[in-house]
Amino acid sequence: AQGLYAQVASLDPHNARALRQMAVIYRKQGDWRQAGMLLERAQQTVTRDCDKAAILTDLGDLLQRVPDQDTKRVAYYQRAFEADASYLPALNALEKLYDGNDMTVELVDVLDHKAKALAAAGGAELAEVHLRRAKLLELVLGQVEQAAAAYRGVLDADAGNVLAMCGLERMYRSQQRWSELNDVLEMHHDVAPTERERIELSMQIAALQDEQFMRPDVAARRLELVVEVAADNMPAFEALSVCYRKLRHYNSYIDCLRRSLHAAASTAAKIAILSDIADTYQEQLLDEQMALGVYREIIALDAEHVATLSSLAKLYARIDEPAKAVRYMTRAAELATDAAQRVDAFYNIGTQ
C-alpha cells in the first residue's frame, strides 16, 4: 500500500489524500518525522475544507508524543476548526486539551460548537454535550441564563433527561421565574419513576401555586391527590389545611384535619389537631355542640389537659350550663401549675 500511495504521489504531487494515507502508514511504523513532513505537504496542497481539517487534526495528533507541545497542538486543532467547524475529531481534541488545562471559557465555547455539529444527528451524544456545557456554565462560570438555555438544549435532544430538568429547576428558582419552574416541575413529575418522587414534586408544585401564584384552590387540588396515595403524609395534610383555611372552606378544613389524625405522631399532636377543629367549629361555624363533642374527645385522650378543661368550662358557661362550667373550671384550677392560670380559673368559678 505504501508503494501504491508513493506512486500516486509521484504522478500527482498535489494529491493531498495520497499524502495523508502515506503519513498514516509512516505513523503506524513509528516514523513520526516522515509522517509530519507528508502531512505538512498535504495541508499546503489540499483544496477541500473537510480534507484540510482532517490533515491539520492529524498534525496536532502527531504532537501528542512530544512533551510540552500543547500550545502547538491547540493551534493545529484551531486551524482545523476554522477550516471545518463541524469536524468532530478536531473539536474532541480541543475539548480534551481545554479540559486538561482548566480553560473553562474555551471549553464551553468548543462544546457549543460540538453541539452544533451534532445537532443534525441528535440523540444521547448531543444531550450529553449540552449537559456538560450547562453544568460548566452554572457551577463554574455562574452564567445562569446561558446555563438555562443549555439545559433546555438537553431537553430538546432528550425530552426525558431528569438531570436537565433538575438543572432548569435550580435556574428558574434562582431567577424567580415561577411559570417556567412550574412547567418544568410538571414535566419532571410526568417522568419520575417512583411514587415518592412524584409526591415530592407534587408538593413543590402545590407550594408554588399557593405561595407564588396565590392559587390555594389549585394547590389544594394537587395536595388532595397526594394524600389520596400517601395517607400518612403529614406535611401534605398541613399544607392542605392551610389552603382550605385561606379559602375559608371550613368544612373542608375540618375534614382535612380529621383525616390527618391517624398520621399524627403522638397524643400531643392529636390533641393539637382536635383543639384546632374545636376552635373552628366554635369560632368560624358557630356550632357549639360540635365543638363540645370535639373537646370531649380531647379529654378522652388526656383527662388532665388543662387548656381543654378551661375551654369546656367557658363553653358550658356560654350555653348556660353553670353546673358543668363550674365542674370543669374547678378541675382546671386543681391541675393548673401556673399561678396566673389558677387565679383566672378561680375567678371564672366565682362568676358562675
Side-chain angles (χ1 to χ4, degrees):
Q2 183 174 348
L4 178 61
Y5 288 126
Q7 186 177 359
V8 172
S10 65
L11 294 172
D12 182 6
H14 301 297
N15 191 312
R17 290 190 174 184
L19 292 170
R20 186 188 178 207
Q21 290 302 320
M22 288 173 63
V24 170
I25 294 171
Y26 279 116
R27 184 175 175 179
K28 288 180 179 179
Q29 294 173 348
D31 191 342
W32 310 104
R33 182 173 177 277
Q34 187 63 32
M37 291 174 59
L38 288 168
L39 288 171
E40 287 290 356
R41 280 178 56 193
Q43 68 99 10
Q44 291 172 6
T45 61
V46 70
T47 55
R48 293 178 21 156
D49 288 341
C50 59
D51 291 336
K52 185 174 184 178
I55 292 166
L56 288 166
T57 301
D58 288 349
L59 281 165
D61 291 345
L62 277 180
L63 293 176
Q64 289 183 46
R65 301 178 62 87
V66 184
D68 303 320
Q69 293 297 310
D70 282 358
T71 301
K72 289 185 179 180
R73 290 179 63 202
V74 166
Y76 276 124
Y77 295 138
Q78 286 177 333
R79 287 173 60 195
F81 167 71
E82 290 167 4
D84 184 355
S86 64
Y87 189 65
L88 283 172
L91 292 170
N92 289 335
L94 283 171
E95 178 185 354
K96 186 175 181 180
L97 278 168
Y98 289 149
D99 189 23
N101 289 283
D102 294 325
M103 300 170 67
T104 306
V105 174
E106 293 82 357
L107 175 57
V108 166
D109 184 59
V110 164
L111 290 171
D112 183 37
H113 288 294
K114 187 174 178 179
K116 292 173 182 175
L118 292 167
E125 186 177 1
L126 175 59
E128 184 179 341
V129 171
H130 276 305
L131 187 60
R132 187 179 186 204
R133 182 169 178 270
K135 288 180 177 179
L136 289 169
L137 286 164
E138 177 192 359
L139 303 174
V140 180
L141 300 180
Q143 298 178 7
V144 175
E145 188 58 48
Q146 295 89 328
Y151 282 125
R152 287 193 295 270
V154 179
L155 293 177
D156 289 339
D158 178 8
N161 194 298
V162 173
L163 291 175
M165 294 177 196
C166 292
L168 275 177
E169 289 163 22
R170 291 191 300 274
M171 299 300 94
Y172 291 149
R173 203 179 294 279
S174 69
Q175 295 178 298
Q176 298 185 354
R177 294 167 61 176
W178 307 124
S179 181
E180 291 97 327
L181 175 59
N182 186 78
D183 292 343
V184 173
L185 288 171
E186 290 282 9
M187 191 188 309
H188 192 172
H189 176 276
D190 291 343
V191 300
T194 67
E195 194 72 68
R196 183 176 181 178
E197 291 175 86
R198 289 191 289 273
I199 287 170
E200 174 58 31
L201 289 162
S202 286
M203 293 284 287
Q204 292 184 46
I205 293 167
L208 200 60
Q209 292 292 336
D210 180 29
E211 297 165 10
Q212 304 303 332
F213 299 131
M214 308 303 172
R215 292 297 305 272
D217 54 329
V218 176
R221 288 195 292 272
R222 195 68 184 232
L223 291 165
E224 284 288 4
L225 296 175
V226 172
V227 298
E228 184 177 324
V229 297
D232 60 346
N233 191 317
M234 184 56 81
F237 277 117
E238 290 170 350
L240 182 57
S241 69
V242 169
C243 291
Y244 283 138
R245 195 166 188 86
K246 287 180 179 179
L247 293 165
R248 299 185 179 182
H249 293 177
Y250 294 114
N251 285 316
S252 296
Y253 175 68
I254 289 171
D255 175 67
C256 173
L257 293 177
R258 280 284 181 194
R259 284 183 286 157
S260 73
L261 278 170
H262 77 281
S266 64
T267 299
K270 292 181 188 295
I271 288 174
I273 293 168
L274 288 168
S275 296
D276 203 353
I277 294 172
D279 290 345
T280 304
Y281 273 127
Q282 189 173 343
E283 297 168 8
Q284 305 299 336
L285 299 179
L286 306 179
D287 191 332
E288 293 168 337
Q289 292 302 316
M290 290 298 293
L292 281 172
V294 178
Y295 284 135
R296 285 194 289 264
E297 286 184 63
I298 298 173
I299 296 303
L301 290 172
D302 182 0
E304 298 182 352
H305 195 263
V306 175
T308 301
L309 291 168
S310 297
S311 295
L312 271 170
K314 292 174 183 177
L315 188 49
Y316 276 124
R318 185 184 304 169
I319 63 177
D320 200 21
E321 293 192 35
K324 291 181 179 179
V326 169
R327 187 176 79 200
Y328 281 109
M329 191 56 71
T330 300
R331 185 59 176 151
E334 292 171 350
L335 293 170
T337 56
D338 182 77
Q341 285 182 325
R342 290 174 64 85
V343 169
D344 182 60
F346 283 119
Y347 172 81
N348 288 326
I349 293 170
T351 60
Q352 297 304 312

